[in-house]
Amino acid sequence: MSERASERRGRSGANPRVVVVGAGIVGCSLADELTARGWTDVTVLEQGPLPAPGGSTSHAPGLVFRTSPSRTLTAFARYTVEKFTSLRVDGVSCFDPVGGLELATTPERLAELHRRAGYAASWGVRGEVVDAARCKELWPLIDESVVLGGFHTPDDGLARALLAARGQRERAESRGARFLDRHTVTGIEKEDGHRGGGQAAGVTAVVTDRGVFPADHVVSAAGFWGPVIGRMAGVDVPLQPLAHQYARTKPLPCLSGATAEASRPILRFQDRDLYFREHTDRLGIGSYAHKPLPVDPFTVLGHGEARANGLQMPSSLPFTEEDWAPSWDDCRRLLPALRDSEIEEGFNGVFSFTPDGMPVLGESRAVRGFWLAEAVWVTHSAGVAKAVAEWMVEGRPGLDVHECDLTRFEDAQRSPAYIRDRGSQQFVEVYDVLHPLQPMERPRPLRVSPFHARQQELGAHFLEGGGWERPHWYEANAPLAAAADVPPRDAWSARYWSPVAAAEARTTRERVALYDMTPLRRLEVTGRGALDFLHGMTTNNLRKKPGAVTYTLLLDGTGGIRSDLTVARLGPDRFQVGANSPADLDWLTRHAPDGVHVRDITSGTCCVGVWGPLARDLVQPLTGDDFSHEGFGYFRARETYLGHVPVTAMRLSYVGELGWELYTTADLGLRLWDTLWEAGRPYGVIAAGRSAFNSLRLEKGYRAWGVDMTDEHDPYEAGVGFAVRLDKGDFLGKEALRLRGEPRRRLTPLLLDDPASVVLGKEPVYVDGVAAGYVTSAAYGYTLGRCVAYAWLPVLPVGTGVSVEYFGEKVGATIADEPLFDPEMSRIRC
């Protein structure tokens, strides 16, 4: 049992009191999963009547397409299908495996379906791209002449959401859970003040209009009412409800005599933002084609008020005919049988969107014991409930959920305006063909480094991540690209890319370049006991003198990699930590003892990476301190001045070249950039972007947490075992590492055989013709003249031939030895 799981059980014995707010599909699934794990003191409160309380579950069409660019969402959906298939109520299965069919009517969409088939193979979902004739066989009502092909997933289908909610509710009740309907939550009670050790005050009870319910844990599974419940607890819930149109036709002659609820696959016509499912002799049609219709969750009527105002349920708003008209025309073009039909009924159903389209899960840092299981669709409901139950009972989910962790949003991404704008855009883009690098359009720019003006002057092409504007290449370097020997790219991989990146990578290898590293997260850890705290939280030896920098890992109780860090000891009790996500701050803050302070200093500081064989020539004249290899060794830190600017200099390199990360305060950032730029002119310095950076780091085999490795992986299989010191004393996750056997999989470097081939990530990798793993990171290695791809694969010898599927085509690749570039590390340690 993990440390955090022990703490949870210890608060109220072996059976903590849990109150779940909301008895929709998520609340019922969670009660089932918790009680199955022995937490039986579970109360589920619902403001509406059971079994159909009136939230999103009550109107959900129940479509389950498992394939997603997100491995996590696919795993959630896969578990939902497995669970609902095995769940029967009154002899009826809660899942109908009619299959799924996604249609392409444009070449771009057909290419996208090949890419989705690749995701399916990567994540273990059965599916294939089929021709138009096969689409017609699967769905005889379509006009075959407008279809180019489709993606058929035979094991997808329809979830009977209300039936599944009932089945899980009854099972949870048989284990001791209770469900109370017509109880409106009016408040969340908390402890007074804060506990020591960085722990926030915890929940104590849920207040309703019909009584108070003591609680050690409260879970908000309230759907689009999540922000309302969150406000009662003092927790912001980054969720925007929107209305979505759904209509049913009158009985269709071509379906006359049908007895089954559905017999054909659920159908997506994404080129027109439409989906279809059968309702016996009728068709149900959903549309995302209309303008976003945001809904204020604080103004949604309760169940009784909704019925009194002529609504079927709170989540079912009046149908807006004017928004439907264009979609109805598109429906009748695809399905000629609808040309003589009419819509019998329709409504605008309310459900939840987040700024990045992912669920919001986990325990609040602000209020201990207050959990979120929000923005969850029926497709992922049982999988999410399982993960949250594991998180609560065992201390961690059984799979990587960092994409869903509520801590993932930065403060700048939590404003109501941001949530509304991005949530609405997610609605618009539900069925769009989206490139993995494609940024949101609004609100931009939001977060910029102090160097932004200079970057604009150099013609920076900005993409966005974490709210930050990040230069990916600079048009000022275009003249250098003329000499770059770069193979031409296909249209997809050429998006958000420029051959200028090759010139920037080459210049970094040959001369010197400046990289804006400001978005790199920086934490400050101070106070007596800071060393002991960090030493016990991480895997490497931190008991070094001030001035040392150490690469280390944060593990969870099972030995999984929560994050990788660079820890600089700047003083006896002062550390600067290079981290990855807000979850790192959350994790360290939760564990910090009294007297140790953890603070995010990212927004008040900035960083320039100065890298290349001439980096020392550029930097040394600016300071009186010795920046020679003997005077300033690799993985060392020093507080000094460069010209007029005080900096914290760390001799680190994420690109495999000599250089330093140079930190200063945000107010002095522009001066630092100008100082370095002027000093670098004699050496041909350039500014370089993230595209070149990613290529260079993959040539060196440097991992990116959250992409190449997560808490599903241990250090040895991820290739970062060198950062673990089992002889240093106790640290979190150490005992679990000892119990792990030899790795059966590894993060494996691949070189594509054809110098002109490129892959981008998440593609399936085939060994002996069988899908055996998937690509994590990939980029063209401009120094090597080949595309580099890292992939999770079974343990295989160097030199083994494999193939990577890219848009339906198999691309040859060979397992390589790492690091691929400069294995002697001579370029860094000079």
Side-chain angles (χ1 to χ4, degrees), residues 18-147:
V18 180
V19 175
V20 179
V21 181
I25 191 65
V26 178
C28 292
S29 297
L30 181 58
D32 184 40
E33 296 287 341
L34 285 172
T35 56
R37 288 166 173 76
W39 281 24
T40 56
D41 191 351
V42 176
T43 301
V44 183
L45 302 174
E46 172 55 58
Q47 65 174 339
L50 292 174
S56 299
T57 302
S58 300
H59 72 245
L63 281 69
V64 178
F65 286 93
R66 291 167 300 161
T67 304
S68 164
S70 167
R71 178 172 172 268
T72 299
L73 287 187
T74 300
F76 286 159
R78 189 167 56 241
Y79 181 77
T80 299
V81 169
E82 293 168 1
K83 185 176 188 181
F84 290 3
T85 298
S86 65
L87 185 64
R88 302 184 73 84
V89 179
D90 296 335
V92 179
S93 173
C94 293
F95 186 77
D96 190 354
V98 293
L101 179 63
E102 304 178 41
L103 298 178
T105 60
T106 65
E108 182 183 32
R109 180 66 62 180
L110 185 59
E112 167 73 358
L113 295 187
H114 279 288
R115 193 161 67 102
R116 289 181 62 76
Y119 292 147
S122 290
W123 314 145
V125 174
R126 194 161 63 109
E128 63 174 337
V129 176
V130 297
D131 62 17
R134 177 60 175 152
C135 292
K136 180 72 172 179
E137 290 177 16
L138 291 165
W139 249 85
L141 302 186
I142 67 171
D143 180 353
E144 183 182 357
S145 68
V146 302
V147 176

Side-chain angles (χ1 to χ4, degrees), residues 102-117 129 146-151 268-274 428-434 492 495 807:
E102 304 178 41
L103 298 178
T105 60
T106 65
E108 182 183 32
R109 180 66 62 180
L110 185 59
E112 167 73 358
L113 295 187
H114 279 288
R115 193 161 67 102
R116 289 181 62 76
V129 176
V146 302
V147 176
L148 301 180
F151 176 45
R268 277 174 166 171
F269 181 24
Q270 289 138 304
D271 289 326
R272 289 294 182 268
D273 297 305
L274 292 164
V428 170
E429 294 179 350
V430 162
Y431 284 163
D432 285 2
V433 176
L434 299 176
W492 185 254
R495 291 190 192 182
F807 286 94

Side-chain angles (χ1 to χ4, degrees), residues 434-445:
L434 299 176
H435 193 278
L437 293 177
Q438 184 171 332
M440 283 281 189
E441 296 179 359
R442 296 189 308 160
R444 291 184 64 198

